[in-house]
Amino acid sequence: QVLLVESGGGLVQAGSSLRLSCTASGSTFPFSQFAMGWFRQAPGKEREFVAATKWSGDSTQYGDSVKGRFTISRDDAKTTTYLQMNSLKPEDTAVYYCAKDRQRRRSYTPTRIGDFNTWGQGTQVTVSS
Protein backbone atom coordinates (compact mmCIF):
# COMPACT_ATOMS: atom_id res chain seq x y z
CA GLN A 1 0.00 0.00 0.00
CA VAL A 2 1.29 3.43 -0.99
CA LEU A 3 0.81 6.41 1.30
CA LEU A 4 1.34 9.98 0.10
CA VAL A 5 1.72 12.78 2.63
CA GLU A 6 1.81 16.43 1.58
CA SER A 7 3.28 19.27 3.61
CA GLY A 8 4.34 22.88 3.20
CA GLY A 9 1.04 24.64 2.72
CA GLY A 10 0.10 27.82 4.55
CA LEU A 11 -1.14 31.39 4.41
CA VAL A 12 0.99 33.81 2.41
CA GLN A 13 0.67 37.17 0.72
CA ALA A 14 0.40 37.63 -3.02
CA GLY A 15 3.81 37.60 -4.66
CA SER A 16 5.26 35.22 -2.09
CA SER A 17 6.65 31.73 -2.57
CA LEU A 18 5.94 28.35 -1.03
CA ARG A 19 7.38 24.90 -1.52
CA LEU A 20 5.13 21.90 -1.14
CA SER A 21 6.50 18.45 -0.46
CA CYS A 22 4.94 15.05 -1.00
CA THR A 23 6.61 12.03 0.54
CA ALA A 24 5.64 8.55 -0.53
CA SER A 25 5.95 5.47 1.60
CA GLY A 26 5.24 1.80 1.18
CA SER A 27 7.45 -1.19 1.75
CA THR A 28 7.47 -2.38 -1.86
CA PHE A 29 6.79 0.82 -3.72
CA PRO A 30 9.32 1.58 -6.50
CA PHE A 31 8.90 5.35 -6.40
CA SER A 32 11.41 5.96 -9.19
CA GLN A 33 9.26 4.04 -11.68
CA PHE A 34 6.15 6.18 -11.37
CA ALA A 35 5.22 9.63 -12.58
CA MET A 36 4.03 11.99 -9.87
CA GLY A 37 1.67 14.90 -10.11
CA TRP A 38 0.11 17.82 -8.28
CA PHE A 39 -3.50 18.88 -8.56
CA ARG A 40 -5.51 21.53 -6.73
CA GLN A 41 -9.11 22.15 -5.86
CA ALA A 42 -10.63 25.45 -4.87
CA PRO A 43 -14.00 25.67 -3.08
CA GLY A 44 -16.84 25.07 -5.49
CA LYS A 45 -14.52 24.16 -8.35
CA GLU A 46 -13.37 20.93 -9.97
CA ARG A 47 -9.98 19.44 -9.24
CA GLU A 48 -7.44 21.00 -11.60
CA PHE A 49 -4.14 19.72 -12.97
CA VAL A 50 -1.16 21.74 -11.77
CA ALA A 51 2.03 19.87 -12.66
CA ALA A 52 3.51 16.44 -13.22
CA THR A 53 6.91 14.86 -13.62
CA LYS A 54 7.57 11.76 -15.67
CA TRP A 55 8.92 8.71 -13.84
CA SER A 56 12.34 9.28 -15.43
CA GLY A 57 12.47 12.89 -14.29
CA ASP A 58 13.33 14.16 -17.76
CA SER A 59 9.94 15.56 -18.65
CA THR A 60 7.44 17.82 -16.91
CA GLN A 61 4.02 19.24 -17.69
CA TYR A 62 2.25 22.26 -16.23
CA GLY A 63 -1.23 23.66 -16.21
CA ASP A 64 -1.58 26.88 -18.20
CA SER A 65 -2.37 28.94 -15.12
CA VAL A 66 0.92 28.07 -13.38
CA LYS A 67 3.40 27.91 -16.26
CA GLY A 68 6.44 30.03 -15.59
CA ARG A 69 5.64 30.34 -11.88
CA PHE A 70 5.59 26.77 -10.53
CA THR A 71 8.26 24.11 -10.80
CA ILE A 72 7.86 20.42 -10.05
CA SER A 73 10.80 18.24 -9.14
CA ARG A 74 11.49 14.87 -7.58
CA ASP A 75 14.12 13.27 -5.36
CA ASP A 76 13.88 9.53 -5.84
CA ALA A 77 16.32 8.83 -3.02
CA LYS A 78 13.92 10.56 -0.62
CA THR A 79 10.77 9.30 -2.40
CA THR A 80 9.63 12.92 -2.42
CA THR A 81 8.08 15.20 -4.99
CA TYR A 82 8.25 18.97 -4.65
CA LEU A 83 6.22 21.84 -6.01
CA GLN A 84 7.99 25.18 -5.88
CA MET A 85 5.43 27.94 -6.19
CA ASN A 86 6.61 31.46 -6.93
CA SER A 87 4.76 34.72 -7.57
CA LEU A 88 1.68 33.36 -5.86
CA LYS A 89 -1.67 34.92 -6.67
CA PRO A 90 -4.96 34.91 -4.75
CA GLU A 91 -6.38 32.63 -7.44
CA ASP A 92 -3.82 29.99 -6.47
CA THR A 93 -5.74 29.51 -3.22
CA ALA A 94 -6.82 25.86 -3.04
CA VAL A 95 -6.18 22.51 -1.45
CA TYR A 96 -3.19 20.97 -3.19
CA TYR A 97 -3.06 17.22 -3.70
CA CYS A 98 -0.15 14.99 -4.60
CA ALA A 99 -0.86 11.96 -6.77
CA LYS A 100 0.90 8.86 -8.07
CA ASP A 101 0.54 7.52 -11.62
CA ARG A 102 -1.42 4.29 -11.92
CA GLN A 103 0.95 3.00 -14.61
CA ARG A 104 4.57 2.07 -14.11
CA ARG A 105 7.08 3.68 -16.51
CA ARG A 106 4.45 5.45 -18.58
CA SER A 107 5.95 6.63 -21.89
CA TYR A 108 4.63 10.16 -21.48
CA THR A 109 3.99 12.58 -18.62
CA PRO A 110 0.42 12.11 -17.41
CA THR A 111 -1.87 15.07 -16.81
CA ARG A 112 -5.38 13.67 -16.42
CA ILE A 113 -6.97 12.88 -13.10
CA GLY A 114 -7.73 9.37 -14.33
CA ASP A 115 -4.03 8.71 -14.93
CA PHE A 116 -3.44 8.74 -11.17
CA ASN A 117 -4.67 6.18 -8.67
CA THR A 118 -3.22 7.21 -5.33
CA TRP A 119 -3.80 10.58 -3.68
CA GLY A 120 -2.57 12.36 -0.60
CA GLN A 121 -4.83 14.03 1.92
CA GLY A 122 -4.09 17.50 0.61
CA THR A 123 -2.50 20.64 2.01
CA GLN A 124 -4.17 24.04 2.11
CA VAL A 125 -2.58 26.99 0.35
CA THR A 126 -4.13 30.40 0.93
CA VAL A 127 -2.86 33.50 -0.83
CA SER A 128 -4.08 36.84 0.45
CA SER A 129 -4.19 39.96 -1.72
Side-chain angles (χ1 to χ4, degrees):
Q1 179 129 3
V2 178
L3 180 65
L4 302 178
V5 179
E6 302 100 334
S7 62
L11 171 63
V12 297
Q13 291 188 331
S16 300
S17 298
L18 276 177
R19 188 177 80 156
L20 305 183
S21 299
C22 169
T23 299
S25 62
S27 60
T28 60
F29 172 48
F31 180 86
S32 64
Q33 297 184 29
F34 289 87
M36 298 295 294
W38 286 94
F39 290 75
R40 68 187 182 186
Q41 189 165 18
K45 295 188 176 182
E46 294 186 350
R47 193 165 295 192
E48 171 191 24
F49 170 73
V50 175
T53 173
K54 191 178 176 182
W55 66 272
S56 54
D58 59 357
S59 174
T60 56
Q61 293 284 345
Y62 295 93
D64 289 342
S65 60
V66 306
K67 282 181 181 177
R69 299 188 298 123
F70 291 11
T71 302
I72 188 171
S73 61
R74 61 189 297 154
D75 185 335
D76 290 345
K78 297 182 178 179
T79 64
T80 298
T81 304
Y82 303 99
L83 184 68
Q84 178 66 42
M85 306 186 296
N86 297 330
S87 302
L88 282 162
K89 304 175 181 180
E91 50 263 44
D92 293 320
T93 295
V95 177
Y96 284 71
Y97 298 91
C98 172
K100 166 194 156 293
D101 193 356
R102 65 172 63 248
Q103 181 175 326
R104 186 180 299 204
R105 296 194 174 203
R106 190 186 294 268
S107 61
Y108 58 90
T109 307
T111 62
R112 300 174 302 176
I113 289 177
D115 292 332
F116 299 85
N117 66 347
T118 304
W119 298 80
Q121 82 289 349
T123 185
Q124 176 71 47
V125 172
T126 303
V127 184
S128 63
S129 57

